[in-house]
Amino acid sequence: MPTVLRVRGYQFPFFSSEKGEPPHVHVENGEASAKIWLTPVMLRKSTGFKTHEINVILKLTQQHEVKLKETWHEYFN
């Protein structure tokens, strides 16, 4: 599970077992987690994050979208 990005206390890892899914990242902070699709950037699911945290996570994902997509394709191709 490589962590691609760490920002503002959030970790953005990929799960290596999820190659067959569309490009996405997981986001973790403590016990909370989320799964974010990258094309387009949108929330797939979340556990433990409050609405304002999801908004921050989506904004951070959009800000780093190019890097996240490039890293996804490098890792899984």
Side-chain angles (χ1 to χ4, degrees), residues 6-48:
R6 287 189 174 116
V7 61
R8 296 183 60 181
Y10 299 104
Q11 294 183 59
F12 290 71
F14 294 141
F15 293 165
S16 58
S17 63
E18 297 181 327
K19 181 179 182 176
E21 294 190 33
H24 67 278
V25 291
H26 293 265
V27 182
E28 301 173 344
N29 187 342
E31 297 296 315
S33 64
K35 184 175 189 175
I36 309 292
W37 294 137
L38 295 176
T39 306
V41 172
M42 61 187 251
L43 177 67
R44 167 66 176 98
K45 66 180 177 179
S46 172
T47 304

Side-chain angles (χ1 to χ4, degrees), residues 1-5 11-19 21-28 34-38 61 64-77:
M1 165 171 94
T3 297
V4 181
L5 178 67
Q11 294 183 59
F12 290 71
F14 294 141
F15 293 165
S16 58
S17 63
E18 297 181 327
K19 181 179 182 176
E21 294 190 33
H24 67 278
V25 291
H26 293 265
V27 182
E28 301 173 344
K35 184 175 189 175
I36 309 292
W37 294 137
L38 295 176
T61 304
H64 298 277
E65 180 179 2
V66 171
K67 176 186 177 179
L68 293 169
K69 284 181 183 178
E70 286 175 353
T71 306
W72 169 276
H73 291 293
E74 287 174 12
Y75 186 80
F76 287 108
N77 292 329

